[in-house]
Amino acid sequence: MNTVALTGTFNTSDTGPSRVLEGLSGALADTGLEVHAFTHGDRENHSNPDVHITRFGKTPQSVLCFLSYFRWIRRRVRELDPDVLHPLEEYPFEADIRTVQWTSDSYERWKLCRDDFRGYGYFVGDIALNVANKIGASQTDTVVASSPETERQ
């Protein structure tokens, strides 16, 4: 194995998903692997110069934008043809290994959203992306989960 592709959020803020992408990609690059990160967010450079960052742009703000982002990742991954593809967040397609965050059923999503309710459109979009994420996770043999509702941990 020589080439690893990661996907996920990459922002200048110190959010959990950005920290995970930076830490894992940097550690993999330190082992001598060629690491490519296909990201969205506002950050363009990695602290490890051996990590290749390709940005989609700012974080998508709608289901249609997220679907465009996922298709963009799939095209880039096909062009790169890495030995391992590891999405760190939502991804509705098959991968080699998945880190699944925030996957749960609709009721669990409602409980998570109700304290920060942004409208029914946001809630429906959240459910649609969650279903897409579950589809991708079910197509992947190795799943690392951080959600208590995810069965295959």
Side-chain angles (χ1 to χ4, degrees):
M1 178 173 75
N2 296 319
T3 307
V4 176
L6 302 173
T7 69
T9 304
F10 201 47
N11 286 315
T12 53
S13 64
D14 199 21
T15 63
S18 295
R19 284 195 318 260
V20 169
L21 189 134
E22 180 165 21
L24 183 57
S25 59
L28 290 170
D30 286 345
T31 69
L33 294 171
E34 181 180 336
V35 179
H36 293 263
F38 300 104
T39 69
H40 64 81
D42 61 10
R43 189 165 167 192
E44 296 183 21
N45 298 312
H46 196 284
S47 60
N48 185 328
D50 294 328
V51 176
H52 307 281
I53 301 292
T54 305
R55 271 186 2 141
F56 177 74
K58 293 190 183 218
T59 300
Q61 298 296 313
S62 70
V63 172
L64 291 177
C65 287
F66 267 103
L67 293 177
S68 293
Y69 167 66
F70 298 142
R71 286 191 300 271
W72 175 83
I73 291 170
R74 188 168 59 177
R75 282 192 307 275
R76 297 301 175 278
V77 167
R78 285 179 178 161
E79 291 168 3
L80 179 64
D81 192 26
D83 296 301
V84 172
L85 169 60
H86 183 171
L88 301 173
E89 295 180 295
E90 295 94 350
Y91 190 67
F93 306 114
E94 182 179 1
D96 298 301
I97 183 170
R98 289 285 310 273
T99 297
V100 179
Q101 299 177 18
W102 311 114
T103 300
S104 56
D105 63 29
S106 298
Y107 177 69
E108 291 297 324
R109 296 304 297 163
W110 172 254
K111 287 194 309 188
L112 290 171
C113 287
R114 70 179 173 206
D115 293 334
D116 185 27
F117 190 70
R118 300 178 192 172
Y120 288 103
Y122 177 85
F123 176 67
V124 170
D126 186 64
I127 296 296
L129 289 175
N130 193 58
V131 169
N133 191 32
K134 280 186 166 188
I135 290 168
S138 69
Q139 295 174 356
T140 302
D141 290 333
T142 304
V143 177
V144 179
S146 64
S147 173
E149 301 87 12
T150 303
E151 294 177 10
R152 296 182 300 135
Q153 295 193 29

